[in-house]
Amino acid sequence: MESSSNSRPHEGAHGDVNADDRATDAGHSFHGEAFNEGPRQRAVKASGMAKIHFPTSTQSDEAQQFFEQGVAQLHGFLYLEAERSFRQAAKADPELAIAYWGMAMANANNPKRARGLIDEAEQKKDKGADKREKLYIEAHARYLPKFGDDAPEDDVDAKRKRAERYIADLEKLLHEYPEDIEAKAFLVLRIWLSDREGVKLASRHAVNALLSEIFAVDPMHPAHHYRIHLWDSAHPKSALESSAKCGPSMPGVAHMWHMPGHIYSKLHRYADAAWQQEASARVDHAHIAQAGLIPDQIHNFAHNNEWLIRNLLFIGRINDAVDQAKNLVSLPQHPRYNTLKKRGSYKYGRERLLQSFTEYGLWDELIQHSGGFYLPFTSDAVQEEELLGWLAVAHFRTGKAGRGAKTLRTLIRRRIALETQLLDLADKSAAKNSKADKQESGSDDDSGKEAEPAEKAVTAEELRSHLKALRPIIARASAAGATHRKEPEKVKTLAEKAKLDALIKAQWLADAGDVESALEITKSERKKREGQVRPVAILVDLLWRNGEKDEAKKQFETLRTLAADADIDTPMLNRLRHIAKFAGVQGDWRIKREPAKDLGERPPLESLGPFRWEPNQASSWEAKLPDGTPTHSKELSGRPRLVVFYLGFGCLHCMEQLHALSPKLEAFQEAGIEIIAISTEDSETLTTGIDDFDKPISIPLIADPEHAVFKSYRCWDDFEDQPLHGTFLIDSNDRVRWQDIGYEPFMDVDFLLEESQRLLTLP
């Protein structure tokens, strides 16, 4: 039996039957490439959404409700769910052109998909869209770039012109409909965004006046989000009122809680900022659990959490910062969303964990975790060298100079190897040029010789880039060694080469014997880092060490309030106990901070969702084996397993996935992981497929002809009523630790094995 792709009548993306009867690959959208990606499971009427008034031409109450929910989610940059809501609106009313405009708007970061979606809106706009809807659709269609071989070049000038035209088109819409506050909100957003596209934002106060018109009609409109963006970099105090109202204006959207953290951070109110970012994390975690997602599918999830960690460090909540960084490292990795090379949770978590250990001098913890689950050595040479460099520092700082020197020598050998490679490349280049000169003069005729196949080799540019990253790492470790040897002048020189954090440099200089220079640096940093615990704590310590006890006591009094939330048992703060005693304070020396009066309504954090992400419980299911025998998911409980949902023997890509998995079956089993595959076919068809297929299938297959299991695992397109590919890692406690659902099966088997082993060994 040969594999072939499934084909069937081409239905509309949201249930309407199209006369076009072309074949569609299994799992792919009937509506075209733009609809393959994005959410394909139904939307729900979500709680905590802003109330939006955006009339449309639909006669469907359901379509109208989901459309307005989608507009609210757009205002919160909750793009995945906004597109889902717009798709649900189009499911209820397939000819609602403005719903496709919404889908395009939800792909603000993916212009190629957005182009395909707005093209669909353009095709449908003459089937009942009113004038206002057409203006929205046409404005966005004129803004988005064209794609294809004959598309004009989208250079800097073209982008600027498109942005200018979009602003003009939205203003035209407001000329026609001056009471449309949604048009005003989108105009504000577009003016702010266009500043990045070459259209200068001439007056923030003018844009702020436009926002005031919106709030005069709806004081809790989610455009408070846009006011924060407007003033964030220019004059953050101007956004304090919106910072108080942003989260409450749409409490079900995490980003609305996150945004005030920008303002509070700029105003050095780091405890208030940390509260906002924790609120955002909790709302995200609740949403992820409800929607059956993995964390990094959410736009800005990783960014919010890494910013939270930075603010926790600013206020001295070191234990929570470390825990949060570890949590980010432990989250599921996925090639599309979250890897060491992407700006996802894993990369951020690793960076912030190192930052937490190094800034607060948790050297024993750094040594303990190096090479372990949270700070493994990696295949990325630069990342590995960064860790090795800090490991050398940690050894020097804990008095293990021999180990530090040995690790430093390892890094130096790597530098020498890279430099040797560069020299070798220069020799090869010179020899090649010499050979070319000889051939040109006729003295060395190689005509007729067969050319040797070229090997993919590292380039000189790549080597130089690697060396540029490695040299500061070596300088940093060398500076730690110089500190251990009490050589302050070397510390100064090497710290400069290492671009070392100024406060770490100050501590090392003091430990090397130059307290005066250390104090000078720390006093300067104290002014630059207003509101942060670490510079004041270091200043108090250095003043005391320099014999300035009264000044140390004075600065300590400032620290007591500043460190209201700090973990005072950590090394940096614990060493100040004798100063607290000198100041007449026994025990816990922190002073409770009074909450600010301008924070607005703040619900209990616990009511918003869990602080840490936890995997969902896998759905239980019943299905049949190829011989018709009933089977149940409980038979697999207590054992980790990989569950693959495939779309029958007629799906070529599914067969490719199963055949890619089959050779790795033993490796998965050695890792304690079973593999099963659930098919859309019935038992009889499944048996026939197994018997007739040209290659043996070694993975146990299960029949789910009613698609109940597919639907319970969300491997189902609710808009087009068809199954989707899915791959799930489920642990021995029946929790979903990793997943992929999509129009194509997940094919990176080596990644899947490695990631499954990593997740199942989580401490």
Side-chain angles (χ1 to χ4, degrees):
M1 174 180 174
E2 291 186 350
S3 297
S4 62
S5 51
N6 287 357
S7 62
R8 50 192 154 170
H10 178 82
E11 299 174 8
H14 304 91
D16 54 318
V17 178
N18 194 310
D20 182 2
D21 194 18
R22 66 177 179 266
T24 304
D25 286 345
H28 288 235
S29 172
F30 302 131
H31 210 56
E33 184 180 348
F35 292 86
N36 283 335
E37 299 176 23
R40 298 182 68 175
Q41 297 79 24
R42 67 183 180 86
V44 298
K45 292 175 183 175
S47 60
M49 296 296 113
K51 292 181 180 178
I52 296 296
H53 179 64
F54 193 123
T56 72
S57 55
T58 187
Q59 300 301 306
S60 165
D61 288 342
E62 181 183 359
Q64 182 64 32
Q65 288 173 15
F66 277 109
F67 177 83
E68 290 183 338
Q69 176 171 287
V71 173
Q73 290 162 335
L74 282 181
H75 288 318
F77 291 178
L78 187 59
Y79 292 131
L80 180 71
E81 296 308 325
E83 184 178 343
R84 194 192 309 277
S85 293
F86 291 125
R87 285 193 176 196
Q88 195 70 44
K91 173 75 171 175
D93 183 350
E95 298 305 325
L96 182 60
I98 194 70
Y100 297 85
W101 162 88
M103 295 176 212
M105 291 284 287
N107 279 274
N109 299 316
N110 191 341
K112 191 168 184 179
R113 278 198 71 220
R115 180 78 257 172
L117 295 162
I118 202 67
D119 286 347
E120 191 80 10
E122 289 246 272
Q123 290 174 19
K124 291 179 178 291
K125 71 180 181 181
D126 292 328
K127 297 181 181 179
D130 63 27
K131 182 178 179 181
R132 176 172 159 275
E133 291 171 292
K134 288 178 181 177
L135 288 173
Y136 271 105
I137 292 166
E138 289 162 1
H140 202 53
R142 280 157 57 86
Y143 166 71
L144 287 170
K146 300 282 187 180
F147 294 91
D149 295 338
D150 57 347
E153 184 180 355
D154 196 35
D155 57 17
V156 173
D157 190 51
K159 289 179 181 178
R160 178 183 54 78
K161 287 180 179 177
R162 287 192 294 102
E164 288 174 338
R165 186 172 59 207
Y166 199 2
I167 291 170
D169 284 344
L170 288 173
E171 288 185 330
K172 177 184 174 183
L173 198 159
L174 278 169
H175 292 324
E176 296 277 345
Y177 302 94
E179 304 304 316
D180 186 348
I181 63 171
E182 297 312 310
K184 292 178 182 180
F186 287 121
L187 176 57
V188 167
L189 176 63
R190 178 46 45 195
I191 292 172
W192 171 68
L193 288 172
S194 295
D195 191 50
R196 307 174 184 180
E197 298 172 310
V199 183
K200 184 174 175 57
L201 204 172
S203 170
R204 282 182 165 79
H205 282 282
V207 179
N208 196 62
L210 189 58
L211 281 162
S212 296
E213 291 182 21
I214 297 170
F215 300 135
V217 177
D218 181 359
M220 294 302 287
H221 192 281
H224 286 293
H225 175 191
Y226 304 148
R227 179 178 269 167
I228 292 172
H229 276 299
L230 178 67
W231 293 113
D232 182 17
S233 61
H235 193 254
K237 284 186 179 179
S238 295
L240 277 171
E241 181 184 352
S242 284
S243 295
K245 293 179 177 178
C246 190
S249 74
M250 192 152 51
V253 175
H255 193 63
M256 300 295 282
W257 292 106
H258 164 80
M259 283 307 302
H262 283 242
I263 300 302
Y264 297 134
S265 291
K266 293 286 174 62
L267 297 174
H268 314 297
R269 293 169 53 172
Y270 298 113
D272 292 334
W275 189 97
Q276 297 291 155
Q277 285 140 0
E278 181 176 337
S280 178
R282 288 176 179 273
V283 172
D284 259 341
H285 293 150
H287 167 226
I288 289 163
Q290 180 272 325
L293 303 170
I294 55 178
D296 283 87
Q297 286 180 266
I298 301 296
H299 177 64
N300 272 336
F301 173 86
H303 164 66
N304 174 75
N305 282 275
E306 69 88 14
W307 197 330
L308 169 60
I309 295 167
R310 281 185 282 149
N311 277 322
L312 291 174
L313 291 174
F314 290 159
I315 61 176
R317 284 175 58 185
I318 308 156
N319 295 330
D320 280 337
V322 168
D323 286 348
Q324 191 71 359
K326 287 181 176 178
N327 186 250
L328 290 185
V329 170
S330 72
L331 298 180
Q333 293 183 43
H334 193 292
R336 284 201 301 275
Y337 318 117
N338 176 29
T339 69
L340 183 61
K341 294 183 182 297
K342 291 182 182 289
R343 301 305 293 181
S345 291
Y346 185 80
K347 185 174 178 63
Y348 276 133
R350 184 183 176 96
E351 289 174 356
R352 297 293 166 251
L353 187 56
L354 274 172
Q355 181 183 358
S356 302
F357 288 157
T358 57
E359 288 189 349
Y360 277 87
L362 303 178
W363 305 116
D364 288 326
E365 287 84 346
L366 193 152
I367 293 169
Q368 174 194 342
H369 286 290
S370 292
F373 182 89
Y374 295 111
L375 285 175
F377 294 110
T378 74
S379 58
D380 184 295
V382 174
Q383 291 284 345
E384 182 174 274
E385 285 153 8
E386 176 74 7
L387 177 55
L388 281 172
W390 280 119
L391 184 58
V393 169
H395 286 314
F396 281 124
R397 296 297 288 157
T398 53
K400 305 178 186 74
R403 289 188 179 184
K406 183 178 180 181
T407 307
L408 177 55
R409 288 193 296 272
T410 298
L411 292 167
I412 292 170
R413 287 190 187 97
R414 291 194 178 199
R415 188 202 69 206
I416 293 169
L418 290 169
E419 290 170 341
T420 302
Q421 283 181 273
L422 262 178
L423 291 171
D424 289 344
L425 279 179
D427 286 344
K428 286 180 182 178
S429 178
K432 185 177 179 182
N433 290 336
S434 175
K435 185 176 181 180
D437 290 342
K438 289 179 181 179
Q439 287 177 341
E440 190 174 327
S441 65
S443 60
D444 187 9
D445 185 7
D446 279 344
S447 60
K449 290 186 179 179
E450 205 172 298
E452 294 182 6
E455 293 183 7
K456 182 172 174 58
V458 65
T459 66
E461 184 180 352
E462 289 169 333
L463 288 170
R464 281 191 285 268
S465 176
H466 191 166
L467 276 167
K468 185 179 179 182
L470 179 55
R471 284 177 178 135
I473 293 171
I474 292 172
R476 184 176 65 213
S478 300
T483 302
H484 180 78
R485 296 189 300 273
K486 309 292 185 186
E487 299 172 342
E489 291 307 313
K490 281 191 176 181
V491 174
K492 287 180 183 178
T493 302
L494 290 164
E496 193 69 28
K497 291 180 179 179
K499 299 176 183 175
L500 193 64
D501 172 79
L503 288 173
I504 294 178
K505 177 183 176 180
Q507 289 176 289
W508 292 7
L509 275 173
D511 291 346
D514 188 352
V515 180
E516 290 291 338
S517 295
L519 267 172
E520 185 180 342
I521 294 169
T522 305
K523 287 176 182 177
S524 175
E525 291 300 309
R526 163 85 163 84
K527 293 176 183 177
K528 293 177 185 176
R529 308 189 194 197
E530 181 186 342
Q532 297 180 26
V533 165
R534 193 163 69 104
V536 183
I538 293 170
L539 179 60
V540 170
D541 179 48
L542 294 180
L543 287 167
W544 184 271
R545 290 165 66 175
N546 203 43
E548 301 177 52
K549 294 188 176 182
D550 289 338
E551 183 61 22
K553 179 182 175 183
K554 178 182 175 182
Q555 294 294 333
F556 178 72
E557 285 303 318
T558 301
L559 181 64
R560 292 182 67 191
T561 302
L562 206 59
D565 305 301
D567 299 316
I568 59 173
D569 57 343
T570 48
M572 182 178 293
L573 298 174
N574 190 43
R575 71 167 57 100
L576 305 181
R577 285 180 302 168
H578 61 287
I579 301 173
K581 187 176 180 181
F582 176 76
V585 183
Q586 300 292 329
D588 188 344
W589 46 262
R590 298 170 296 180
I591 296 176
K592 186 177 180 180
R593 182 190 304 104
E594 289 298 319
K597 305 294 186 184
D598 59 355
L599 295 172
E601 295 181 23
R602 280 188 162 182
L605 283 168
E606 296 76 12
S607 70
L608 297 175
F611 193 12
R612 309 277 186 254
W613 177 78
E614 291 289 341
N616 282 352
Q617 285 295 123
S619 300
S620 59
W621 50 264
E622 293 182 9
K624 291 184 178 180
L625 298 173
D627 63 4
T629 304
T631 185
H632 195 285
S633 58
K634 65 184 178 182
E635 296 171 18
L636 299 166
S637 290
R639 293 170 287 172
R641 62 267 191 198
L642 199 67
V643 181
V644 176
F645 290 83
Y646 76 101
L647 311 186
F649 279 92
C651 174
L652 174 63
H653 292 161
C654 292
M655 293 302 99
E656 289 174 347
Q657 183 192 33
L658 292 182
H659 283 305
L661 281 166
S662 290
K664 298 287 184 179
L665 185 59
E666 187 175 340
F668 275 95
Q669 289 171 341
E670 287 175 358
I673 304 167
E674 297 187 29
I675 303 179
I676 65 165
I678 300 178
S679 172
T680 53
E681 298 166 315
D682 59 30
S683 295
E684 184 178 351
T685 307
L686 197 58
T687 301
T688 302
I690 294 170
D691 292 342
D692 293 351
F693 201 70
D694 54 358
K695 295 179 182 177
I697 300 289
S698 53
I699 296 169
L701 305 182
I702 295 172
D704 179 33
E706 302 300 322
H707 308 141
V709 189
F710 272 79
K711 291 176 181 177
S712 69
Y713 278 76
R714 298 172 66 86
C715 296
W716 192 262
D717 186 329
D718 293 314
F719 306 122
E720 302 184 28
D721 202 29
Q722 65 160 317
L724 299 170
H725 307 88
T727 305
F728 294 78
L729 174 68
I730 301 172
D731 68 16
S732 57
N733 293 315
D734 299 330
R735 298 177 303 174
V736 177
R737 305 299 295 276
W738 187 93
Q739 68 181 51
D740 179 85
I741 302 171
Y743 66 100
E744 293 281 13
F746 188 81
M747 295 298 297
D748 193 341
V749 177
D750 290 333
F751 172 90
L752 193 53
L753 175 58
E754 185 177 344
E755 177 62 2
S756 297
Q757 291 173 305
R758 185 185 79 91
L759 290 172
L760 294 174
T761 56
L762 176 66

